[in-house]
Amino acid sequence: MRPDARRTTLADIARAAGVSVATVSKVVNGRGDVAPQTRTRVQALLHQHDYLAPVFRHTEAAESPTIEVQFRGGLKSYVAETLEGIIDSAAESGASVVISKASGAPHWARDLVSAGRRAVIAVTSVYTTAHLNELARSGLPLVVLDPLHLPDSRIHSVGATNFAGGLAATQHLLSLGHRRVSYLGGPAMAVCNQARLHGYRAAMEAGGLPVPDAYTRPGEFTYETGLGGAAALLDLDEPPTAVFAGNDEIAVGVVEAARARGLRVPEDLSVVGFDDTSLARTASPPLTTVRQPLREMGGAALRTALRLANGERVDSHHIELATELVVRASTAPPRAAPPERG
């Protein structure tokens, strides 16, 4: 667009669509009383003319901002607990929240603007350069909760002290007398997984203990990774006596894999998880795990999104909240602890 080009107005869109300005305004503001065919025609013209609604000038939007919260995959315990924190914080702030699955549809960010959204919170979602460019063109701030990849300088994020959590989990197992400790984690390139793995390695190195290549296995943050990964670890000539799992779902899979082989947790195998979701508290046995303050993280993401939506300055691009080791019944000293190293 040339610098002196006239900005497209609602009247221009209305004339092209053959409808009233009021109808176009209803589509822009996400009102429901518009016929589906008319809505589709108007939205196509809005995209064609690169129209952006001035949502930040709407009095209603300023008084009761609406934040879009997107996530991928199933609604698991981790996601559910972070959403609770977001929703509770929104209620305290007088904001509204719309929850959706992340979309790859064309012009998805512009559709959010047209619907009156003020910012986007992404829960453990991956955003490509194309996604970020789309958000930037639309003027929507983005806050990523527990980012899987290193955050782009254009976005803000909220996470936890994953390295410290990995260190504490492994140190706990070493303090019980375990020397053969493995790490069964999530995606190899995920930032949170790398930090937890580094914490594990730092504790093992500080204890003067080797880490065989077979003792560290990446995967997904799923129950199935726990089942398959634990089976591979237990097939080793020198299987671990303890497993630090990258999250609670993996840990529960490890417990089941041990049970299927007639092994008892923690008598024959100690297991530590990560997150402290409801799954950890209701597992059999209840899991020793590293607590992420999931609800608090959700609240911090919501407050950051609101500040950005209001044009306020946010000092830090990344916020980290403290983790905490929670000891339950899934860890115990190994059956025959080796003598202390001299």
Side-chain angles (χ1 to χ4, degrees), residues 128-280:
T128 64
T129 300
H131 285 125
L132 298 178
N133 290 341
E134 172 82 2
L135 284 165
R137 285 193 296 269
S138 301
L140 276 177
L142 171 66
V143 179
V144 179
L145 205 156
D146 211 2
L148 290 179
H149 296 303
L150 288 171
D152 186 284
S153 60
R154 292 173 291 177
I155 65 176
H156 293 74
S157 59
V158 177
T161 54
N162 290 293
F163 176 88
L167 184 70
T170 310
Q171 287 176 335
H172 167 66
L173 293 169
L174 298 182
S175 72
L176 291 172
H178 292 279
R179 295 297 177 264
R180 301 201 306 271
V181 180
S182 69
Y183 175 71
L184 189 54
M189 298 309 295
V191 173
C192 57
N193 181 73
Q194 290 181 13
R196 292 166 198 176
L197 174 59
H198 291 329
Y200 155 81
R201 286 190 177 278
M204 295 293 282
E205 182 178 345
L209 299 170
V211 179
D213 290 342
Y215 272 28
T216 59
R217 299 179 60 88
E220 300 295 329
F221 288 121
T222 61
Y223 173 80
E224 291 73 21
T225 286
L227 281 176
L233 290 171
L234 294 172
D235 280 339
L236 295 173
D237 291 338
E238 282 195 310
T241 62
V243 176
F244 167 35
N247 77 342
D248 292 339
E249 286 201 34
I250 295 174
V252 171
V254 172
V255 172
E256 180 55 33
R259 182 178 292 122
R261 291 177 178 238
L263 301 176
R264 296 173 298 168
V265 174
E267 291 85 355
D268 302 312
L269 182 71
S270 284
V271 181
V272 178
F274 204 105
D275 286 341
D276 195 26
T277 59
S278 59
L279 190 61

Side-chain angles (χ1 to χ4, degrees), residues 266-329:
E267 291 85 355
D268 302 312
L269 182 71
S270 284
V271 181
V272 178
F274 204 105
D275 286 341
D276 195 26
T277 59
S278 59
L279 190 61
R281 300 185 285 274
T282 58
S284 180
L287 289 176
T288 294
T289 190
V290 176
R291 179 181 182 270
Q292 286 201 90
L294 299 176
R295 290 177 177 81
E296 293 88 341
M297 288 162 60
L302 189 282
R303 291 188 293 274
T304 299
L306 287 177
R307 291 184 62 187
L308 293 170
N310 291 329
E312 298 178 28
R313 178 183 175 86
V314 177
D315 293 333
S316 175
H317 272 74
H318 181 65
I319 299 171
E320 280 196 350
L321 302 184
T323 52
E324 176 187 5
L325 180 70
V326 179
V327 178
R328 296 195 179 96

Side-chain angles (χ1 to χ4, degrees), residues 1 5-13 45-46 48-52:
M1 180 178 283
R6 185 175 67 85
R7 185 182 182 87
T8 301
T9 66
L10 289 184
D12 296 330
I13 302 297
L45 286 165
L46 290 168
Q48 178 184 334
H49 290 275
D50 210 29
Y51 179 83
L52 287 179

